[in-house]
Amino acid sequence: MLCLYSIKRSDSYFIDLAALNNLNLKTINNEISLKEGQAVKAPEVKKERKVVKKVYPNSALFTSWGDELSEEEQKEAEGLFQMYGYNAFLSDRLPLNRELPDTRDPKCAKHQYPHDLPTISVVLIYLDEALSIIKRAVRSIIDKTPQRLLKDIILVDDHSSNEDLKEKLDAYISFIHEERPGLVKRVRHKEQLGLTQARLSGWREATGDVVAILDAHIEVHVEWAEPLLARIKEDRTLVLTPVFDKVHFDDLTVTRYGPAADTFDWALWCMYEPFRPEWYALKDESQPGKSPSIMGILVVDRLFFGEIGALDGGMKIYGGENVELGIRVWLCGGSVEVIPCSKIAHIERAHKPYLPDLSITMKRNALRVAEVWMDDYKHNVNIAWNIPLKDHGIDIGDVSERKTLRERLNCKPFQWYLDNVYPMLDPLGDLLGYGALVNDLKMDLCIDQGPFPGNTPILYGCHYYGPQNCYYRTSGEIYIGGIRSHKYDSNRCLVDTGSRTPGLYECKVAKQKGFHMLWDFQQGKAIQNRQTKRCLEIAPGDDTYYQLIIQECSRTPASAPGHRHTGIQGRQH
């Protein structure tokens, strides 16, 4: 589960396939026979550019790649793209041991690590990945990890249906075992159990001192393991994550990502944020940085992982398990760090074929995390997903075992986490109501943020999704179009600008401009601006459609609900 982080792209390290096809190189099982560390240098080949009809002009795959493919090749590439979410057609034609650029900070190459490091087991989890992608992951791990440190590689198949991942993958493992007998182990689930269970299956099979649990659509960089193992040798209670580089789903080139903290919002969606100020004060980007959470790929002392509760086996399919682990580790005696000198290239899919709508399980898993670990702040997850505080109808499963684990580990309260680990989360403690704002004159119309970018809220047919999510705080601010999870973000405030039409501005901007942004409101009563004393109402427009207006209140704001009074529908805090 990865997030965007803009850093300058470097493509100069990559092999030109058209040129490579003209090289007379001996290959073994698609691996180019080269000395260790030797890069492939492709000669320049001048070719006349062919003009080929684009069969899929609207496909993301062909936006900047594939101009010279024949129509049949385009059809094959597009079919594989839809199947996997990345360019498996190109992957099948790349060498398995292709060279990656060294994207580490230059100081990393100068670091010296102890010889007697712990051993490592590498777990690769997958569901219907392209065979060449898995092969390349395995090959990179073998090539880039010192033999004395690499104990085993465990492939965990979460019930794939792809025939390539049976006999053909077995044949590749046999090929590997000619070089390293018994190195690769396989675990096959008899039914799809999801990411969390796949990670647990791999961890149970591991025998190394340290276990690295990775996605299968990765390639490791040079000297990726040593900084992780050295840090765990110093402190076995750490849970670590490398820094990911982005492998583009279309041309499989790599963009460097710099180090950043792995964080989340109240919906538990992952994101990147800067480290705490003390990390930047070091002025050394090769140093570890404390992180509130992890992105899903993790490296941990194998026994400590079990002691602290491993992963929550009650999680379903996808989402939230990384945040749950990060919170639990911090609260229960460990800590989480990002290790900048460990780099892993990770394919960012254009889509996830196994789960088109990630929000279904994400929402359920987030509520489960909140129930066990967030104490009085658990309702913020409901607010972020715009679902009722009670009777939301979502089955989060039995959490009694996880609550018992929390007691047994004598974990700290969530307030400690907010104070000491992630103070940038807005506690949302002064929220009075949230939901959709409707007027009893037209119950099928909701207040909506309107066109974005733009500063004019509108009335629109009620659909209750993000643009219509409204929030009312004790300060008197009304937000339309969502509420931010972080203190550094600015919400969009409903304002009275003095005209007949209400405005919607970032609250900081509204304050700077002197707009009137504080309101008095009770459920079923009018919404009245505290400064101007005007009310937010609706009225028929010239075209017979209702419009949102601000005017002198048509009825006494404190009176019983009238034909122009507004209420929050569905949610109250």
Side-chain angles (χ1 to χ4, degrees), residues 418-442:
L418 290 180
D419 292 340
N420 296 279
V421 180
Y422 201 11
M424 285 297 101
L425 272 181
D426 186 340
L428 305 183
D430 59 350
L431 198 64
L432 294 178
Y434 65 104
L437 279 171
V438 296
N439 186 292
D440 62 359
L441 185 65
K442 284 291 292 180

Side-chain angles (χ1 to χ4, degrees), residues 118-122 206-212 228-229 232-233 299-302:
T119 58
I120 188 168
S121 294
V122 182
T207 60
D209 301 318
V210 172
V211 60
L228 299 165
L229 298 175
I232 290 176
K233 180 181 172 66
V299 182
V300 62
D301 179 283
R302 180 172 57 86

Side-chain angles (χ1 to χ4, degrees), residues 174-427:
S174 297
F175 170 78
I176 293 295
H177 285 170
E178 293 178 11
E179 174 189 354
R180 301 279 296 274
L183 179 67
V184 181
K185 304 174 184 177
R186 296 196 65 182
V187 177
R188 286 193 180 105
H189 288 170
K190 295 181 179 179
E191 60 180 328
Q192 185 180 345
L193 300 178
L195 291 177
T196 299
Q197 291 294 345
R199 288 168 177 150
L200 288 171
S201 294
W203 165 66
R204 295 187 188 104
E205 191 70 22
T207 60
D209 301 318
V210 172
V211 60
I213 303 177
L214 315 177
D215 295 333
H217 43 277
I218 58 94
E219 297 163 76
V220 299
H221 284 267
V222 63
E223 210 171 38
W224 75 282
E226 290 90 329
L228 299 165
L229 298 175
R231 193 71 185 99
I232 290 176
K233 180 181 172 66
E234 293 173 346
D235 184 353
R236 69 183 295 268
T237 68
L238 288 167
V239 175
L240 305 179
T241 180
V243 174
F244 308 107
D245 286 337
K246 175 182 177 179
V247 179
H248 295 258
F249 66 81
D250 53 355
D251 59 9
L252 302 185
T253 56
V254 179
T255 292
R256 177 187 182 272
Y257 278 9
D262 301 337
T263 62
F264 56 91
D265 60 16
W266 281 117
L268 270 58
W269 290 113
C270 73
M271 57 195 301
Y272 287 145
E273 288 182 36
F275 290 119
R276 299 288 293 272
E278 50 266 30
W279 184 83
Y280 296 96
L282 297 173
K283 297 183 179 180
D284 183 354
E285 290 196 2
S286 71
Q287 294 300 312
K290 295 296 184 183
S291 181
S293 186
I294 61 171
M295 284 295 178
I297 291 179
L298 63 110
V299 182
V300 62
D301 179 283
R302 180 172 57 86
L303 297 181
F304 174 71
F305 193 50
E307 293 164 11
I308 206 162
L311 293 172
D312 181 0
M315 294 290 191
K316 297 291 187 183
I317 308 299
Y318 179 93
E321 74 288 339
N322 55 325
V323 175
E324 190 273 347
L325 176 63
I327 293 172
R328 172 161 42 89
V329 168
W330 277 108
L331 293 182
C332 306
S335 56
V336 181
E337 288 184 357
V338 175
I339 307 299
C341 287
S342 177
K343 299 297 291 286
I344 290 181
H346 176 276
I347 297 177
E348 292 194 7
R349 298 179 192 259
H351 57 272
K352 286 182 167 60
Y354 57 84
L355 192 62
D357 187 356
L358 301 178
S359 67
I360 296 173
T361 56
M362 186 70 202
K363 182 190 304 181
R364 181 260 184 200
N365 290 345
L367 290 169
R368 182 179 174 90
V369 175
E371 182 63 32
V372 176
W373 298 104
M374 292 186 175
D375 304 330
D376 294 339
Y377 295 95
K378 65 182 181 181
H379 296 315
N380 290 352
V381 175
N382 300 64
I383 293 167
W385 284 100
N386 197 40
I387 57 178
L389 300 185
K390 298 180 180 179
D391 303 323
H392 49 63
I394 299 172
D395 181 10
I396 65 172
D398 183 6
V399 296
S400 58
E401 183 273 334
R402 303 309 284 181
K403 289 186 174 183
T404 300
L405 171 71
R406 181 176 180 177
E407 293 178 4
R408 177 169 59 81
L409 294 176
N410 194 27
C411 303
K412 297 179 179 70
F414 191 72
Q415 183 67 57
W416 179 91
Y417 181 84
L418 290 180
D419 292 340
N420 296 279
V421 180
Y422 201 11
M424 285 297 101
L425 272 181
D426 186 340

Side-chain angles (χ1 to χ4, degrees), residues 106-173:
K107 295 187 184 71
C108 293
K110 299 177 182 179
H111 283 198
Q112 298 294 318
Y113 302 104
H115 184 79
D116 59 337
L117 291 171
T119 58
I120 188 168
S121 294
V122 182
V123 176
L124 298 176
I125 61 170
Y126 59 91
L127 172 63
D128 287 324
E129 296 276 6
L131 176 60
S132 61
I133 291 291
I134 296 177
K135 285 183 176 182
R136 189 170 295 107
V138 171
R139 186 72 258 170
S140 75
I141 292 165
I142 294 172
D143 290 347
K144 301 294 185 353
T145 313
Q147 185 169 342
R148 74 181 192 280
L149 301 179
L150 183 58
K151 192 67 177 293
D152 44 30
I153 299 173
I154 298 103
L155 303 181
V156 182
D157 185 337
D158 193 25
H159 195 59
S160 295
S161 58
N162 186 349
E163 288 297 322
D164 284 352
L165 302 183
K166 297 176 183 177
E167 292 183 2
K168 290 182 179 179
L169 182 53
D170 289 338
Y172 184 67
I173 293 173

Side-chain angles (χ1 to χ4, degrees), residues 526 528 535 537 552-565:
Q528 185 180 39
C535 287
E537 301 186 353
E552 295 299 319
C553 300
S554 58
R555 300 185 64 175
T556 304
S559 67
H563 72 285
R564 297 234 172 128
H565 289 173

